[in-house]
Amino acid sequence: MTLSGIHVPLITPFAEDGEIAFEALEDLAHAVLDDGASGLVALGTTAEVATLAEEERRAVIEICGRVCRERGATLTVGAGSADTRSTAEALRALKGEADAALVTVPAFVRPSEAGVLAHFTALAEQTPVPLVVYNIPYRTGQSVGAATLRRLGELPMVAGVKHAVGGVDLDTVALLADPPADFAVLAGDDPFLSALLALGASGGILASAHLRTGEFAELVQAWRAGDVEHARALGNRLSLMSAAMFAEPNPTVLKGVLHARGRIPTAAVRLPLVPASQASIEAALRTL
């Protein structure tokens, strides 16, 4: 399993009738892997997973899993909820279906950091696949510090963290200064990818990498190679593009851009999301 490089959390494209456009989904999966992505993430936030029926989720996993097996790429699947027992059940269902599971820090419940550690300790004892902790405090309401993330990284079935704290804070610097062995720190806030790579992150899980996938992969390689001048310039350009993709709630602008470029049949999203404004879509297109 490779938890480095660029992993693309695929959108869920919809057809004119509101059903999933499965052919477009498969085409997107192949396209980002063709362009240099190391893996796919199915059923992440970008996939509008909360709006998908259970049979739709199974179909998405099946398609993404088939593509990843054909291409020798890593498949990570979003799984679980704020409840430890139901999350463990969801993880057990991924046996033979995924290479890793992306599991969010419990949202809304807002446990203490000791509770977060206990949650993932219990999951690590039961999961058949490695876990990637999703640390995204502006969605969960729960901040997890570097010390706790380091302890999570020492658990035998915790392979990494998708780190999306809205910037580069002191905990980010502290974690990357001394990460646990074999623990992947993956940037989860697209505009800050280059900054985290400069500090030692191993890659990113990035919605905006549906576009310019090859350049995102090139950015990872540039920082690894120590080509600082090129990495800075490329990272700055990609950061501006990424920021434009998040001008409205994700993935509304991204879907508008993909539709405008003929890569998905509609820009439709499911309520409670509404389509992005034409102004935001056009602004994002200009960055391309």
Side-chain angles (χ1 to χ4, degrees), residues 4 11 24 86 138-139 161:
S4 62
I11 64 157
S86 63
Y138 53 84
R139 286 191 183 270
V161 60

Side-chain angles (χ1 to χ4, degrees), residues 154-245:
E154 293 169 354
L155 296 172
M157 287 298 284
V158 175
V161 60
K162 178 180 178 181
H163 196 60
V165 298
V168 181
D169 61 8
L170 288 176
D171 279 309
T172 303
V173 175
L175 175 65
L176 286 167
D178 184 25
D182 300 319
F183 181 71
V185 179
L186 300 166
D189 284 313
D190 300 36
F192 300 105
L193 169 65
S194 190
L196 264 66
L197 290 172
L199 290 170
S202 56
I205 298 177
L206 309 165
S208 55
H210 280 79
L211 302 154
R212 290 189 175 177
T213 313
E215 292 183 44
F216 280 100
E218 180 184 342
L219 179 63
V220 174
Q221 293 302 322
W223 278 116
R224 285 179 183 169
D227 189 353
V228 175
E229 184 175 355
H230 177 55
R232 282 176 177 164
L234 179 57
N236 288 340
R237 293 199 301 272
L238 292 176
S239 292
L240 293 174
M241 184 202 78
S242 293
M245 295 299 163

